[in-house]
Amino acid sequence: MAGKGRTDKIKGKAKEMTGKVTGDRGKEAEGRADQAKGEAEESLREVHDRARGAAEPMKRRHN
């Protein structure tokens, strides 16, 4: 799912801002963690897509 990382980043930013406004350090930290998770998911998706793209020429040569 390509949008999952982006969704986590947006959700995380909202939590972080809510935590800052309310003074809830736990919610703020949870938001930062969600953002990090979103970044990791996007990075993993990018690596996966690049690997798939690199494999295509090799598949064509062997068929």
Side-chain angles (χ1 to χ4, degrees), residues 27-62:
K27 182 66 73 179
E28 197 174 335
E30 187 179 333
R32 285 192 301 272
D34 284 347
Q35 289 177 70
K37 178 182 173 192
E39 288 288 336
E41 288 173 349
E42 285 185 340
S43 294
L44 183 60
R45 171 63 64 181
E46 186 177 318
V47 168
H48 178 264
D49 290 346
R50 284 183 183 181
R52 177 175 275 169
E56 286 302 316
M58 289 188 280
K59 285 182 182 178
R60 281 183 257 151
R61 273 190 266 165
H62 293 290

Side-chain angles (χ1 to χ4, degrees), residues 1-42:
M1 177 186 250
K4 179 76 169 119
R6 187 174 311 138
T7 302
D8 282 335
K9 285 173 35 178
I10 293 168
K11 179 177 69 171
K13 190 66 170 176
K15 283 182 184 180
E16 181 183 12
M17 291 297 111
T18 300
K20 282 185 179 185
V21 169
T22 62
D24 184 344
R25 296 177 112 189
K27 182 66 73 179
E28 197 174 335
E30 187 179 333
R32 285 192 301 272
D34 284 347
Q35 289 177 70
K37 178 182 173 192
E39 288 288 336
E41 288 173 349
E42 285 185 340

